[in-house]
Amino acid sequence: MLRALKEALKKNEESILKALSEDLGKSDFEGYATELGITYEEINYLEKHLKSLMKPAKVRTPITQFKAKSYILHEPMGNTLIMSPWNYPLMLTMVPLAGAIAGGNTVVVKPSRYSEQTSKLMKRIIEETFSSEYIALFEGGHQTNTELLELRWDFIFFTGSPNVGRIVHQAANKYLTPCILELGGKSPVIIDGTDDMRLVAKRLAWGKFLNAGQTCVAPDYVLIKKGYAESLIKEMRIVIEKMFTGNPLSSEDLPKIINKKHFDRVKGLIEGSKVSYGGVSDDGKMKISPTLLYPVNETDSVMQEEIFGPVLPILEYDSLDEAITFIQKREKPLAFYIFSKDRKAIDKALSSVSFGGGCVNDTVVHLTAPELPFGGVGNSGMGSYHGKRSFQAFTHDKAVMDKALWIDLPVRYAPFKGKLKLLKMLMR
């Protein structure tokens, strides 16, 4: 089934890239790198390791249960619901679907209505590849979501905003349905000025403006040590113009904002802010140029919500402790990034900040590694997947102790008089 899914995607690659371009304005390169490529890597990993992942896991048995063997069996969660978002509509549907298939589940898929062309294409691909009794996809909007969440599922996998995640969690609680919530939040970047600023700017700009900033793990704001902000902005301007030319709105490599509602929301965050670079938009194309805001205060509107657009606020700090405290006062982020050559500073930040996942001296790329779990913490989500954790996410570990019949230790049975000393020897 995993092979069938991959073959179906390969067969429809051209149509998929076209749909991603229509929905989000993604170039073929970006569409393949961030959607198809990551999906293929996940399927390949699961296909390669599935035999070992499925094997019963042997575990130690305490001496008090002699003679017995203990092991863990992996069984499918059952009938599962996968609800996926619009920003990476193919990858964030197909990667969890691959995990559900690997775990042996039946699946109902509900993609976002905002990514209309990709959702429509995925429906056709799934219907041509799998029996609807095994995997089915339902299109639709709020009403479809509501009706699906009213049903009883064995497991729910949701990717989206924290606000909608709360609704999904509440619906799951009705039947005590386990769920994984992949949410988001304001993912911070700390820059202490010890790295080469040109390289910092390149990696920061790449992660921030990927998919026009519509990435759940995109750098949401920068905390930079005082005295280095102007240097960062200077290098960011050079890098942005190299990536997207001096007129980014005409660049085919800069995606568009998904719809008018989100376009207007992001534009509203720019208005009234101090724009250091960019800030230009095109209502017809629904594009916003890469934008740097500086200086920014923590009370500004752009710091009150996840931006989810190509806008980067830059704030300054005096000491690393101040930067860490700034982050700790807010909801736990899905991602955290630090650029530094100072190993002590890196270790201090990593041990002090609670976050889902992140990078040292880069951005976003941690989610491309199948061996690393991807997931949030606190307000940014619960549970994780990718690689072996995708299999684990969609399976239940069934614990079994298999006892021999030829021996039966009498110590556990009443009467207990005179047995306590022996018990303490066995269970010390």
Side-chain angles (χ1 to χ4, degrees), residues 332-390:
K332 296 177 181 180
L334 182 58
F336 169 70
Y337 307 110
I338 180 168
F339 287 88
S340 176
K341 286 182 179 176
D342 185 342
R343 195 69 242 177
K344 287 185 178 179
I346 292 167
D347 292 342
K348 183 174 184 177
L350 293 179
S351 62
S352 302
V353 176
S354 180
F355 57 93
C359 303
V360 174
N361 295 323
D362 210 339
T363 61
V364 178
V365 294
H366 61 289
L367 65 81
T368 67
E371 297 286 356
L372 287 175
F374 178 71
V377 59
N379 197 66
S380 62
M382 61 177 71
S384 62
Y385 70 123
H386 281 193
K388 71 177 181 180
R389 286 172 179 81
S390 289

Side-chain angles (χ1 to χ4, degrees), residues 108 152 168 170 331:
V108 167
R152 184 167 187 169
V168 173
Q170 189 175 16
E331 296 285 2

Side-chain angles (χ1 to χ4, degrees), residues 376-422:
V377 59
N379 197 66
S380 62
M382 61 177 71
S384 62
Y385 70 123
H386 281 193
K388 71 177 181 180
R389 286 172 179 81
S390 289
F391 176 82
Q392 291 169 349
F394 284 92
T395 53
H396 164 64
D397 283 351
K398 189 159 50 178
V400 178
M401 184 179 288
D402 191 337
K403 295 285 293 275
L405 293 172
W406 59 268
I407 186 171
D408 189 37
L409 297 178
V411 67
R412 68 172 175 171
Y413 301 108
F416 300 126
K417 189 175 181 180
K419 294 181 179 179
L420 181 58
K421 187 176 180 180
L422 175 59

Side-chain angles (χ1 to χ4, degrees), residues 166-184:
R166 291 184 181 93
I167 296 170
V168 173
H169 197 221
Q170 189 175 16
N173 283 343
K174 180 181 178 181
Y175 296 110
L176 297 179
T177 302
C179 58
I180 282 181
L181 303 177
E182 297 295 346
L183 310 177

